C-alpha cells in the first residue's frame, strides 16, 4: 500500500498535487501528455523531490530516502540497459558483487532470464536484441532487485501492439507471482482495459483516484475523455 | 564520493599546482612594477606577432576551407584527417623542417637564388610568424571547414537552383558563416601565439623578436633576475586572461577533435576547380614538405645516433606516460563547468613560470634538479589539461544525461559507476586524450629547458642542443625519431581506445 499524504510537487509554474492511497496490485496511471504522470512516478522513485507532503509505503516513510534506498524498481521509456554491457553484466549490477560476474550470479541471472523467456540471450549486447527482448531484460533486472513496487514509465510505448500486450501480460503474471505492486503509465485506454485492478487519472494538476478500472471505464467514469 | 566533491578536490589540486609556484616566485623575489624598454619591447612583440599570426592563419584558411568544401577528390577525407597532424607535431621538429625549407640554405632560398629573386630570412619576426602560421593554419582550416559543413545542404541546392553566381553564393551563404566563426578562430590562435615559447626560443630571440614567455626564461635562466621573471609572469597572466575574457564576448568556435568530417559537394566550374586544386596543393606543400624533409634527411642517420639520444628518448617516453596519465586522470575528474574553468587555468599561466616557481620552492629543501622528471611531467600534464577536458567533457555530460536516472534507480554510484559506466563509455575519448597528451608532452620544449642539463635531457632538448652546436645530421635524425615517437604514441593510445 502506497500513501501520498498532501503531496505537492512544484516545477517552475507547474504544480502537481496528490493525496491518496494506492492499493496493492496493478494500477495504471493515465493522463494527457504533460499532465504530470512521469513527475508523479518520479516523486515515488526518488528522482524528483517533493515540495511538501509525505509518501509512505506500508508504514514506512520513504520520501526522505535516496532513490536507491526506496523499495521501488523503475523501467523508463528509454535507456533501461547500459548499451556497452552484455545482458549478464547489466543484470549483475543489482546482484551483490558489482566488480565481476561470479558463477553463482550468472546462474541466478540465467534463472530469471528463463522466467522472462530470453535465457539464450544472456551474453548478448542490448544492440543485438529487439526492443521487446530489451524490455524483457529490463524486467528481469526488476525481478532480481526484489523490490515490492515496480514503476513502469511507458516502457513499451515504442513496441508494436502485440508485443506490448504480451509484455503487459508478462508483467501482470510476474507481479502476481512475486507479490509486486505495479504502477504503469500509459496513454492508451486499451492498456487500462487489458489489466484489471485500479487506475489513477492525472489531470488539472491533480492526481485523482484510485478508481476501480471497470468503474473508471464506465460512460460517466473519470476516463470519459479518453474513450 | 560525490562528483562535485571530486571536481572541487581536483580543482584545488590544479589551482595549487599552478598558483603555488607563482606565489613562490613573487615571494622569493619581491615584486617591482617598473618596466624596462626591453620589457615593453617584449610585450609589443608578443602582441604584434600574435596578431599577425592569427590574422594570416585565419585569412589563408578561408580559401583553403572553401576549396576543400567544394571539391570532391580521392583521398579527401585523408587530407582533412592529416591536417590535424601539426597539432601534435613537436615544435622543435617543425622548426627544423621549416629551417630546411625556408632557411638560408633551404629549398625555397635555393630556388629564389636560382631565379635571381634574392632570399628570405627565417630568423626573427617573419620566422616566428611563419612557424605560427604553419601550426595554426591547419587548425583554422579544420574549424572553418566544420562550420561550413554544419550548414544545411539544402541552402547550397537552393543557391544552385536560383543560379546564383560565385560572388552571390559567397555573400549569401559563406559570408554569414565567416562573420560568425572567424572572430572566434582569430581569438583562439591569438591566445595560443601569445604564449609562444619554443618557436620564439628557436627562431626569435634578441631585442627585436622576444616574446614575454621567452623574456621570463631569459630573466630566470640567464640573468638570474627572479623579480623580473615574476613581474613578467604576472604581465603574461594579465595578457592571456584579458584575451580569454574578451573572447567570451565573441562566438566560440566548435572544438574539432573528431576527424571524420562530412563534406558536401557544390558542382563548381572548371576555373573554380583549377583554382581550388592550386590552393589545396600549395597548402599541402606548405604543411607537409617541412615534415617530409625531416623524414628524408633524418632517415639515413637514425640508426647511428649516439646512445645518449636513445636515453633522452627513453626519458621523453617516461615523462610523456606520467604526464598523459596524470592529465587524463585530472581531466576525468574535471568534466564539470567549474572543473573546466579551473582546469583551463593552465592556458593563462606559463609553464616556464610554473617551472621557475617550483624550482625556487624546492631549492629550500634540496636539489631541484633531482626532481626534473616528475616536475616536467606535472607541468606538461597541466599544459595539456585544457585540451583533455575539451575532449572528454561533452561525452561525459552526455553519459550523465543519458544514464543518470538508470544508475540512480539501481544504486550504481561511486566507484562502481566509474568502473562500469564512466570509463567504459568514455574509452574512445580517453584513448584519444591520452594520445594527444602523450604526443604534446613528448614534443614539449618548455619547462625541461630550466631543469635539463647534459645529463638530464629529453629528446626535444637534445635536438635543441644539437642545433645549438651545429650538429645538423644528429639533430635531423633525432627529430625523425621524435616525430615517430609523438605520432606513434598518439596512434597507439587512439587505437587502444577504439579496440578495448
Amino acid at each position: 500500500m502506497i500513501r501520498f499524504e498532501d503531496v505537492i510537487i512544484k516545477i517552475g509554474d507547474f504544480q502537481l498535487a496528490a493525496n491518496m492511497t494506492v492499493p496493492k496490485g496493478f494500477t495504471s496511471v493515465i493522463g494527457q501528455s504533460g499532465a504530470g504522470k512521469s513527475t508523479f512516478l518520479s516523486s515515488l522513485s526518488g528522482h524528483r523531490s517533493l515540495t511538501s507532503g509525505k509518501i509512505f509505503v506500508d508504514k514506512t516513510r520513504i520520501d526522505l530516502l535516496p532513490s536507491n534506498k526506496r523499495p521501488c524498481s523503475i523501467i523508463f521509456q528509454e535507456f533501461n540497459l547500459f548499451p556497452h554491457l552484455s545482458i549478464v553484466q547489466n543484470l549483475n549490477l543489482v546482484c551483490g558483487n558489482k566488480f565481476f560476474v561470479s558463477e553463482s550470479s550468472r546462474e541466478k541471472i540465467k534463472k530469471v532470464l528463463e522466467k522472462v523467456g530470453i535465457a539464450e540471450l544472456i551474453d548478448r549486447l542490448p544492440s543485438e536484441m529487439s526492443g521487446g527482448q530489451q524490455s524483457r531484460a529490463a524486467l528481469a533486472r526488476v525481478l532480481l532487485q526484489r523490490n515490492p513496487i515496480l514503476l513502469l514509465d511507458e516502457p513499451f510505448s515504442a513496441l508494436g501492439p502485440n508485443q506490448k500486450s504480451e509484455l503487459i501480460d508478462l508483467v501482470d503474471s510476474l507481479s502476481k507471482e512475486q507479490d509486486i505492486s505495479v504502477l504503469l503509465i500509459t496513454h492508451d485506454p486499451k492498456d487500462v482495459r487489458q489489466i484489471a485492478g485500479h487506475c489513477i487519472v492525472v489531470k488539472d494538476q491533480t492526481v485523482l483516484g484510485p478508481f476501480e478500472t471497470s468503474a473508471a471505464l464506465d460512460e460517466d467514469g473519470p476516463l470519459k475523455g479518453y474513450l | 564520493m560525490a562528483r562535485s566533491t571530486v571536481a572541487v578536490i581536483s580543482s584545488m589540486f590544479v589551482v595549487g599546482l599552478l598558483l603555488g609556484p607563482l606565489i613562490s616566485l613573487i615571494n622569493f623575489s619581491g615584486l617591482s612594477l617598473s618596466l624596462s624598454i626591453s620589457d615593453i619591447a617584449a610585450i609589443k612583440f608578443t602582441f604584434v606577432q600574435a596578431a599577425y599570426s592569427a590574422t594570416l592563419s585565419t585569412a589563408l584558411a578561408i580559401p583553403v576551407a572553401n576549396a576543400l568544401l567544394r571539391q570532391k577528390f580521392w583521398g579527401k577525407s585523408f587530407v582533412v584527417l592529416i591536417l590535424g597532424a601539426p597539432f601534435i607535431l613537436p615544435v622543435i621538429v617543425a622548426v627544423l623542417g621549416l629551417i630546411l625549407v625556408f632557411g638560408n640554405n633551404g629549398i625555397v632560398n635555393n630556388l629564389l637564388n636560382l631565379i635571381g629573386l634574392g632570399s628570405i630570412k627565417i630568423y626573427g619576426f617573419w620566422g616566428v610568424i611563419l612557424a605560427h602560421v604553419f601550426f595554426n593554419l591547419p587548425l583554422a582550416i579544420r574549424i572553418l571547414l566544420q562550420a561550413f559543413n554544419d550548414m544545411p545542404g539544402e541552402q547550397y541546392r537552393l543557391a544552385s537552383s536560383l543560379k546564383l553566381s560565385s560572388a552571390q553564393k559567397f555573400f549569401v551563404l559563406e559570408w554569414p558563416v565567416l562573420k560568425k566563426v572567424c572572430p572566434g578562430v582569430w581569438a583562439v590562435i591569438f591566445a595560443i601565439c601569445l604564449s609562444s615559447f619554443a618557436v620564439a626560443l628557436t627562431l626569435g630571440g634578441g631585442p627585436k623578436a622576444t616574446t614575454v614567455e621567452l623574456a621570463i626564461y631569459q630573466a630566470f635562466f640567464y640573468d638570474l633576475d627572479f623579480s623580473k621573471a615574476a613581474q613578467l609572469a604576472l604581465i603574461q597572466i594579465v595578457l592571456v586572461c584579458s584575451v580569454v575574457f574578451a573572447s567570451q564576448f565573441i562566438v566560440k568556435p566548435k572544438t574539432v577533435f573528431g576527424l571524420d568530417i562530412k563534406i558536401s559537394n557544390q558542382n563548381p566550374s572548371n576555373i573554380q576547380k583549377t583554382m581550388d586544386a592550386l590552393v589545396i596543393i600549395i597548402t599541402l606543400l606548405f604543411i607537409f614538405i617541412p615534415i617530409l624533409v625531416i623524414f628524408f634527411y633524418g632517415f639515413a642517420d637514425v640508426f647511428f645516433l649516439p646512445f645518449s639520444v636513445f636515453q633522452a628518448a627513453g626519458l621523453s617516453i617516461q615523462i610523456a606516460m606520467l604526464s598523459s596519465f596524470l592529465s587524463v586522470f585530472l581531466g576525468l575528474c574535471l568534466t564539470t563547468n567549474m572543473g573546466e574553468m579551473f582546469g583551463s587555468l593552465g592556458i593563462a599561466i606559463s609553464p616556464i613560470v610554473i617551472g621557475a616557481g617550483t624550482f625556487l620552492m624546492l631549492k629550500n629543501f634540496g636539489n631541484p634538479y633531482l626532481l626534473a622528471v616528475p616536475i616536467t611531467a606535472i607541468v606538461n600534464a597541466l599544459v595539456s589539461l585544457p585540451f583533455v577536458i575539451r575532449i572528454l567533457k561533452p561525452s561525459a555530460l552526455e553519459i550523465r544525461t543519458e544514464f543518470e536516472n538508470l544508475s540512480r534507480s539501481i544504486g550504481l554510484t561511486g566507484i562502481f559507476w566509474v568502473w562500469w559506466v564512466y570509463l567504459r563509455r568514455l574509452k574512445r575519448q580517453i584513448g584519444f586524450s591520452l594520445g594527444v597528451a602523450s604526443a604534446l608532452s613528448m614534443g614539449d620544449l618548455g619547462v625541461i629547458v630550466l631543469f635539463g642539463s647534459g645529463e638530464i635531457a629529453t629528446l626535444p632538448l637534445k635536438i635543441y642542443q644539437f642545433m645549438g652546436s651545429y650538429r645538423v645530421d644528429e639533430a635531423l635524425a633525432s627529430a625523425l625519431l621524435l616525430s615517430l615517437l609523438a605520432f606513434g604514441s598518439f596512434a597507439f593510445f587512439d587505437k587502444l581506445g577504439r579496440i578495448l
Side-chain angles (χ1 to χ4, degrees):
Chain A
M1 203 169 64
I2 308 160
R3 187 153 54 91
F4 291 83
E5 202 176 283
D6 302 324
V7 165
I8 303 277
I9 309 150
K10 277 187 186 165
I11 309 160
D13 293 339
F14 177 80
Q15 176 176 307
L16 188 71
N19 199 8
M20 63 168 61
T21 301
V22 183
K24 277 193 163 190
F26 208 117
T27 306
S28 44
V29 181
I30 196 159
Q32 304 276 14
S33 279
K37 303 183 295 292
S38 293
T39 306
F40 173 61
L41 243 60
S42 304
S43 71
L44 184 54
S45 66
H47 290 97
R48 194 170 287 286
S49 44
L50 307 184
T51 309
S52 63
K54 296 169 187 169
I55 302 174
F56 294 89
V57 171
D58 295 327
K59 285 181 181 170
T60 313
R61 186 173 174 186
I62 63 155
D63 56 277
L64 298 174
L65 298 174
S67 58
N68 59 318
K69 301 271 187 235
R70 296 193 186 192
C72 309
S73 303
I74 185 161
I75 304 183
F76 304 98
Q77 256 173 348
E78 51 183 358
F79 303 121
N80 285 304
L81 298 167
F82 294 109
H84 56 286
L85 302 181
S86 66
I87 295 305
V88 69
Q89 285 173 322
N90 261 291
L91 270 57
N92 186 59
L93 298 176
V94 294
C95 281
N97 187 337
K98 288 182 181 171
F99 269 122
F100 60 92
V101 184
S102 66
E103 205 46 51
S104 61
S105 294
R106 192 181 167 84
E107 280 309 307
K108 199 164 128 188
I109 289 164
K110 199 165 184 179
K111 274 184 192 160
V112 177
L113 286 174
E114 271 164 15
K115 279 191 180 176
V116 296
I118 53 165
E120 71 283 6
L121 307 180
I122 187 165
D123 291 314
R124 293 252 183 109
L125 286 172
S127 58
E128 297 163 344
M129 297 160 65
S130 69
Q133 289 167 334
Q134 289 181 28
S135 298
R136 283 170 191 265
L139 201 53
R141 188 178 54 215
V142 167
L143 297 179
L144 285 166
Q145 281 179 286
R146 296 190 160 275
N147 281 322
I149 299 167
L150 168 58
L151 310 174
L152 300 170
D153 190 353
E154 295 189 76
F156 314 132
S157 55
L159 304 178
N162 290 343
Q163 264 187 320
K164 187 173 160 186
S165 172
E166 265 176 36
L167 278 163
I168 290 177
D169 280 340
L170 180 65
V171 171
D172 189 34
S173 67
L174 290 172
S175 64
K176 279 176 184 151
E177 186 188 310
Q178 305 220 350
D179 197 22
I180 297 173
S181 293
V182 181
L183 270 84
L184 166 72
I185 289 185
T186 181
H187 279 297
D188 191 348
K190 277 185 204 158
D191 301 341
V192 182
R193 276 202 183 97
Q194 190 179 341
I195 306 298
H198 294 83
C199 74
I200 286 170
V201 180
V202 184
K203 70 173 181 185
D204 302 331
Q205 305 201 331
T206 312
V207 186
L208 304 168
F211 306 101
E212 285 212 14
T213 303
S214 53
L217 290 168
D218 278 352
E219 264 188 38
D220 296 328
L223 290 180
K224 201 171 74 179
Y226 290 94
L227 301 171
Chain B
M1 208 185 303
R3 187 185 312 135
S4 52
T5 316
V6 172
V8 168
I9 293 171
S10 311
S11 298
M12 282 165 63
F13 179 69
V14 170
V15 170
L17 286 176
L18 290 168
L19 294 186
L22 180 69
I23 293 165
S24 134
L25 194 64
I26 294 168
N27 266 347
F28 188 87
S29 58
L31 192 64
S32 72
L33 287 167
S34 60
L35 291 171
S36 67
I37 294 171
S38 62
D39 298 338
I40 294 169
I43 296 169
K44 198 175 153 194
F45 177 77
T46 304
F47 257 102
V48 173
Q49 62 82 19
Y52 266 87
S53 305
T55 309
L56 277 172
S57 302
T58 312
L60 291 173
I62 296 169
V64 188
N66 249 320
L68 281 169
L69 181 78
R70 271 191 294 262
Q71 300 306 326
K72 202 175 174 183
F73 55 91
W74 184 84
K76 180 169 152 177
S77 305
F78 182 68
V79 167
V80 175
L81 186 134
I82 56 169
L83 279 177
F87 183 73
I88 53 169
L89 183 73
V91 177
I92 191 81
V93 175
V95 167
L96 207 50
L98 288 170
I99 292 171
L100 286 173
V101 178
F102 297 98
N104 290 342
N105 293 314
I107 301 168
V108 171
N109 273 332
N110 284 339
L111 283 172
L112 288 175
N113 283 330
L114 205 69
I115 51 175
L117 283 175
S119 59
I120 52 171
K121 286 197 173 85
I122 188 142
Y123 294 100
F125 180 81
W126 288 108
V128 172
I129 304 293
L130 181 76
H132 284 162
V133 172
F134 172 83
F135 280 109
N136 295 304
L137 176 62
L139 175 73
I141 294 170
R142 282 159 60 88
I143 296 173
L144 287 178
L145 194 55
Q146 181 68 57
F148 284 137
N149 211 43
D150 286 346
M151 285 171 66
E154 289 78 9
Q155 289 193 13
Y156 281 104
R157 282 196 281 280
L158 181 65
S160 294
S161 71
L162 293 172
K163 297 192 170 43
L164 297 185
S165 67
S166 296
Q168 283 172 317
K169 273 186 194 168
F170 176 80
F171 282 109
V172 172
L173 299 176
E174 286 149 23
W175 178 241
V177 176
L178 292 174
K179 218 167 57 174
K180 201 170 134 190
V181 179
C182 283
V185 176
W186 190 92
V188 166
I189 298 173
F190 185 79
I192 291 172
C193 296
L194 272 187
S195 314
S196 179
F197 173 69
V199 167
L201 178 73
T202 45
L203 293 175
K208 284 185 179 170
T210 294
T211 57
V212 175
E213 194 90 354
L214 183 57
I216 296 169
Y217 164 68
Q218 285 165 348
F220 184 84
F221 200 73
Y222 290 116
D223 306 335
L224 299 176
D225 187 346
F226 300 143
S227 170
K228 181 179 248 189
Q231 184 189 339
L232 288 167
L234 284 180
I235 289 170
Q236 174 76 351
I237 292 168
V238 172
L239 286 182
V240 180
C241 286
S242 317
V243 172
V244 171
F245 179 73
S247 68
Q248 300 303 311
F249 298 100
I250 51 181
V251 177
K252 278 189 203 166
K254 240 186 208 176
T255 314
V256 187
F257 285 112
L259 299 170
D260 40 357
I261 296 173
K262 163 183 76 75
I263 297 159
S264 57
N265 184 29
Q266 302 175 42
N267 300 324
S269 66
N270 282 339
I271 301 172
Q272 188 88 68
K273 275 183 186 170
T274 316
M275 293 293 290
D276 285 349
L278 210 60
V279 166
I280 293 169
I281 290 168
I282 291 172
T283 308
L284 291 179
L285 289 176
F286 171 64
I287 292 168
F288 293 105
I289 285 190
I291 301 175
L292 292 175
V293 288
I294 293 288
F295 278 74
F296 182 75
Y297 287 116
F299 186 73
D301 293 312
V302 80
F303 301 107
F304 306 103
L305 282 166
F307 182 65
S308 63
V309 171
F310 293 102
Q311 272 181 319
L315 189 64
S316 286
I317 294 171
Q318 206 181 326
I319 290 172
M321 293 307 112
L322 282 172
S323 114
S324 55
F325 277 93
L326 177 62
S327 185
V328 171
F329 174 76
L330 288 172
L332 286 167
C333 299
L334 292 169
T335 51
T336 57
N337 288 336
M338 182 202 68
E340 185 176 22
M341 193 177 79
F342 286 112
S344 302
L345 278 177
I347 292 175
I349 301 175
S350 133
I352 296 294
V353 172
I354 307 171
T358 312
F359 182 94
L360 292 176
M361 274 200 299
L362 297 174
K363 210 161 79 81
N364 299 328
F365 304 103
N367 182 1
Y369 290 104
L370 293 176
L371 293 169
V373 172
I375 291 170
T376 309
I378 290 171
V379 175
N380 286 354
L382 295 175
V383 169
S384 56
L385 187 57
F387 301 108
V388 167
I389 295 175
R390 287 300 288 274
I391 297 167
L392 295 174
K393 194 183 151 201
S395 304
L397 290 180
E398 201 177 293
I399 291 168
R400 281 181 207 133
T401 312
E402 284 181 359
F403 299 112
E404 181 150 33
N405 278 345
L406 172 59
S407 304
R408 280 175 64 187
S409 71
I410 60 170
L412 188 68
T413 52
I415 187 73
F416 297 111
W417 185 80
V418 171
W419 172 247
W420 285 109
V421 185
Y422 197 52
L423 294 180
R424 287 166 195 246
R425 294 296 292 172
L426 274 178
K427 62 184 180 181
R428 213 174 142 172
Q429 289 78 4
I430 290 173
F432 188 64
S433 316
L434 279 171
V436 169
S438 64
L440 288 178
S441 173
M442 199 80 79
D444 179 72
L445 182 63
V447 71
I448 191 68
V449 295
L450 294 176
F451 289 90
S453 61
E455 290 153 23
I456 303 171
T458 59
L459 198 47
L461 182 58
K462 201 79 192 163
I463 297 168
Y464 181 61
Q465 288 166 350
F466 282 143
M467 284 167 74
S469 51
Y470 301 102
R471 292 160 71 178
V472 179
D473 292 341
E474 282 155 315
L476 285 170
S478 306
L480 172 59
L481 182 63
L482 180 58
S483 308
L484 293 174
L485 286 177
F487 287 122
S489 67
F490 171 76
F492 171 76
F493 283 117
D494 186 43
K495 186 78 184 165
L496 203 64
R498 286 166 196 268
I499 58 172
L500 272 181

